[in-house]
Amino acid sequence: MGRVYNFSAGPAVLPEEVLKETAAEMLDYRGTGMSVMEMSHRSRPFEEIIDEAEKDIRELMEIPNNYKVLFLQGGGHLQFSMIPMNLMKNRVADYIVTGQWAKRAYEEAKIYGKANKIASSEDKNFCYIPDCTDLSISASADYVYICENNTIYGTKYKSLPDTKGKILVADISSCFMSEPVDITKYGLLYGGVQKNLGPAGMVIVIIREDLITEDVLPYTPTMMKYKIHADNKSLYNTPNCVCIYMCGKVFKWLKKNGGLVAMKATNEKKAKIIYDFLDSNTLFKGTVVKKDRSLLNVPFITGSSELDEKFIKESKAAGFESLRGHRSVGGMRASIYNAMPIDGVIKLVEFMKKFEKENK
Ligand SMILES: *Cc1c(COP(=O)(O)O)cnc(C)c1O
């Protein structure tokens, strides 16, 4: 069997070219006689790998010089704690709860101080983004927290909240490098790389330098201080070397394919194909309010759980993998990240059309 069309929400599809190149370098990375997995993280070849990866992400995302890029472990989840431990100087922070990941971050922040839920879309099972143009931001809030693209529910902020001068902190795990962003609007943005950029096991934190201080909450473990990682260029301890190496290859792939402007155009094209179909057919329908739809995670249902099950089973047999929706939404979800070829989306819609005809 060849490669399937993989619609998994994460870990997710990677560019085939990147996988082939990695395979070719497995036994002997560029004349070193070893794989990157076997190499000291203090060695010259690895130094080049991490330096190059940082240079490329800076170029792709146009990251200003007063921001640090950190390659850390512990996934998205450890950031739910690291953020309050490092940034909650007044022990107050405002959270906008638009899904499970924002909710987890909010619950975690409560351990460290006063976390305020200033807006939420839980009343409608997170199918929309609340109006964030005039929020009641807490006077002493150290930051305002959002999850920018909601992987599970398929919503995305189309404009950033007005934080009224407070620092914006964003989880961008599932929209990482899917379109250009203005880094200067954020104090900190971070994402697990297993959605759009690489294998699981690493999170990239982009943080404004003035937010990196020794002034952290008491009992903050050394490993959870941004400063220790910034001072040591992400090499305080052994990093996830192989993940940095593979993300580096994905960055090269992104550069070769036109960077984030081109990614946005392709992602819009792919999303349009599937949303146009969802809006015009008689069997499937999208679960998200139109104006808040994500370009990357597309949840949909038939309205009948039996038909949903049948669709998931038959689509899998036809080579479309991991279309089952998250257990909290049900139905289906197509995650169509950067590395999902447009062909995969066209073929999926063809398959959905056929299924519609057969199951009217
Ligand atoms: C997947 C995901 C997470 C969780 O990431 P882990 O690396 O599993 O901790 C957090 N936030 C968002 C938006 C995600 O998509």
Side-chain angles (χ1 to χ4, degrees), residues 74-78 80 101 147 149-151 171-174 190 192 194-195 337:
H77 277 78
L78 200 61
F80 301 166
W101 300 126
C147 175
N149 183 77
N150 296 287
T151 325
D171 175 356
I172 57 163
S173 296
S174 48
Y190 76 92
Q194 75 272 26
K195 309 290 160 70
Y337 298 123

Side-chain angles (χ1 to χ4, degrees), residues 58 98 149 223 249 254 256 319 339:
R58 284 186 174 279
T98 50
N149 183 77
M223 269 298 284
K249 288 198 183 301
L254 286 166
K256 202 172 112 190

Side-chain angles (χ1 to χ4, degrees), residues 70-340:
L70 309 175
F71 301 105
L72 307 179
Q73 296 174 67
H77 277 78
L78 200 61
Q79 292 309 307
F80 301 166
S81 331
M82 267 179 97
I83 288 162
M85 283 181 143
N86 285 269
L87 303 186
M88 239 191 199
K89 319 281 184 201
N90 299 324
R91 304 250 184 159
V92 180
D94 288 350
Y95 280 74
I96 302 174
V97 177
T98 50
Q100 176 174 308
W101 300 126
K103 198 172 174 179
R104 282 215 180 147
Y106 162 66
E107 295 295 340
E108 191 70 12
K110 285 182 183 170
I111 298 172
Y112 306 100
K114 193 165 178 325
N116 302 305
K117 193 199 291 181
I118 56 165
S120 166
S121 52
E122 196 163 12
D123 59 332
K124 292 186 180 150
N125 201 29
F126 302 117
C127 74
Y128 69 102
I129 298 289
D131 179 4
C132 296
T133 51
D134 186 20
L135 297 165
S136 40
I137 308 282
S138 314
S140 54
D142 293 301
Y143 58 87
V144 176
Y145 182 101
I146 62 166
C147 175
E148 200 162 325
N149 183 77
N150 296 287
T151 325
I152 294 173
Y153 301 92
T155 59
K156 162 104 199 317
Y157 286 81
K158 298 298 157 79
S159 56
L160 293 173
D162 180 357
T163 63
K164 303 185 177 170
K166 300 293 183 190
I167 295 160
L168 179 65
V169 171
D171 175 356
I172 57 163
S173 296
S174 48
C175 55
F176 220 146
M177 298 210 202
S178 62
E179 60 181 36
V181 290
D182 180 356
I183 301 284
T184 63
K185 291 193 169 141
Y186 306 80
L188 185 156
L189 50 172
Y190 76 92
V193 300
Q194 75 272 26
K195 309 290 160 70
N196 229 354
L197 300 182
M202 189 167 76
V203 58
I204 298 178
V205 174
I206 302 164
I207 177 172
R208 215 173 61 209
E209 263 168 5
D210 61 292
L211 302 177
I212 305 172
T213 66
E214 280 288 3
D215 176 25
V216 297
L217 296 187
Y219 304 109
T220 298
T222 305
M223 269 298 284
M224 291 179 68
K225 294 177 181 171
Y226 290 126
K227 189 158 190 325
I228 199 90
H229 296 291
D231 287 350
N232 290 279
K233 300 182 80 180
S234 303
L235 291 167
Y236 174 65
N237 73 321
T238 318
N240 188 336
C241 299
V242 119
C243 202
I244 294 169
Y245 159 68
M246 287 197 66
C247 285
K249 288 198 183 301
V250 173
F251 300 161
K252 294 279 182 224
W253 177 82
L254 286 166
K255 281 172 71 174
K256 202 172 112 190
N257 287 283
L260 305 194
V261 172
M263 279 306 126
K264 181 173 197 242
T266 312
N267 287 330
E268 280 172 348
K269 213 193 260 175
K270 288 188 294 186
K272 188 173 181 333
I273 293 170
I274 183 156
Y275 285 125
D276 279 353
F277 174 70
L278 288 176
D279 292 341
S280 62
N281 86 104
T282 56
L283 182 63
F284 301 97
K285 68 170 197 285
T287 57
V288 168
V289 167
K290 277 189 193 174
K291 68 174 179 48
D292 299 327
R293 283 170 164 175
S294 166
L295 292 183
L296 304 152
N297 306 101
V298 184
F300 56 96
I301 51 170
T302 62
S304 143
S305 49
E306 262 162 52
L307 271 184
D308 287 353
E309 279 307 318
K310 186 166 185 243
F311 179 80
I312 292 161
K313 198 166 152 238
E314 289 182 11
S315 60
K316 187 175 165 73
F320 303 97
E321 194 62 43
S322 297
L323 281 166
R324 182 183 293 284
H326 191 270
R327 56 193 182 277
S328 60
V329 186
M332 286 71 70
R333 170 179 50 174
S335 294
I336 48 175
Y337 298 123
N338 287 345
M340 169 59 65

